[in-house]
Amino acid sequence: RFVNDNNRTPTKEELRDLYNQTPEINPHSVLEKKKLDLLGFIEQYLKDCETRIVDRTGTAMAQSTLLSYQNAFRALQEFKDKYYKKSKFDFENIDGAFYTQYRKFLTNEKQFATNTVGKHLRKVKTFLLEAQANGHLPNFNPRPFKSVEEKTDAIYLNDGELKHLFYLDLSKNAKLERVRDLFIVGARTGLRFSDYSNIQAKDIDLENEEMTITPKKTQDT
């Protein structure tokens, strides 16, 4: 790195100083790690999640899960930029008042649906519990950080409607025909979109009328 930056080799003294200040090389480096604030900690946590192995599945975290964490982090950054532009926003700001204000921000200003608000609150709670586990929030009480949700109507097609789609003549539009067939597979198997949209020919045993698939979320074949 020194040679690239300076177009020369370092002296013995320079090399010694660099060694003492570079934690990537010297684990006993005299260079102190910068203390992470709340958003810095969450950002580091998200980077770690990219390579983290989930204990339950033994695989890497699903991209959809990681994306939901990143979305929650962005919303929290927006909240900080609006309400703490000229003041410090750190671990000591996390209390019941923060929860109330942040929930109002998600509901009234971001205008998220109730269940989306609940998802964001659960993700922030995950961040805070992780921070507590790392000694940043020793007095954090997760009880006030309640999730919110509301019942929604489950829209579905009945058996007759599915049969109508199944027998619909789409032979003049190969693209629509493939989309229809894929939709019918999803409806009849109950698989998540992320799973049935990735079905391959090798997964299907026509002779025994069976399909074998390993869902991304559970990794259970």
Side-chain angles (χ1 to χ4, degrees), residues 1 8 24 59 61 83 102 106 126 131 141 148 171 173 184 190 194-195 200:
R1 185 185 304 168
R8 65 177 178 84
E24 299 97 320
T59 60
M61 182 177 290
Y83 289 100
Y102 189 58
L106 295 173
T126 297
N141 179 11
V148 292
S171 57
N173 191 322
I184 293 295
S194 59
D195 294 322
Q200 300 179 43

Side-chain angles (χ1 to χ4, degrees), residues 22-72:
T22 309
E24 299 97 320
I25 302 173
N26 177 12
H28 303 293
S29 168
V30 297
L31 183 66
E32 293 185 3
K33 291 184 178 180
K34 181 181 178 182
K35 185 178 182 296
L36 292 176
D37 61 7
L38 175 59
L39 293 183
F41 173 82
I42 297 174
E43 189 172 16
Q44 184 60 56
Y45 171 72
L46 292 178
K47 288 181 180 178
D48 293 341
C49 284
E50 294 177 4
T51 55
R52 176 175 295 189
I53 300 300
V54 181
D55 292 337
R56 181 171 55 85
T57 63
T59 60
M61 182 177 290
Q63 284 299 311
S64 57
T65 302
L66 185 58
L67 181 61
S68 68
Y69 282 147
Q70 292 168 341
N71 289 336

Side-chain angles (χ1 to χ4, degrees), residues 57-154:
T57 63
T59 60
M61 182 177 290
Q63 284 299 311
S64 57
T65 302
L66 185 58
L67 181 61
S68 68
Y69 282 147
Q70 292 168 341
N71 289 336
F73 179 51
R74 279 194 290 270
L76 190 61
Q77 285 178 308
E78 289 182 35
F79 172 80
K80 180 260 183 185
D81 291 341
K82 178 163 187 177
Y83 289 100
Y84 293 86
K85 183 175 288 187
K86 296 183 179 180
S87 58
K88 187 178 181 181
F89 180 63
D90 210 339
F91 296 106
E92 61 264 26
N93 297 104
I94 303 303
D95 53 20
F98 158 76
Y99 166 81
T100 301
Q101 188 181 25
Y102 189 58
R103 179 175 169 180
K104 287 181 179 179
F105 168 77
L106 295 173
T107 303
N108 300 333
E109 298 181 45
K110 296 294 290 182
Q111 296 187 336
F112 288 154
T114 300
N115 289 341
T116 302
V117 171
K119 289 179 182 178
H120 277 267
L121 292 174
R122 286 195 295 274
K123 296 298 184 295
V124 169
K125 186 176 180 179
T126 297
F127 298 152
L128 299 178
L129 288 172
E130 188 71 19
Q132 185 181 47
N134 282 270
H136 295 290
L137 286 165
N139 300 317
F140 173 61
N141 179 11
R143 292 186 65 183
F145 285 75
K146 298 178 181 177
S147 179
V148 292
E149 62 181 349
E150 63 180 355
K151 290 185 177 181
T152 57
D153 293 329

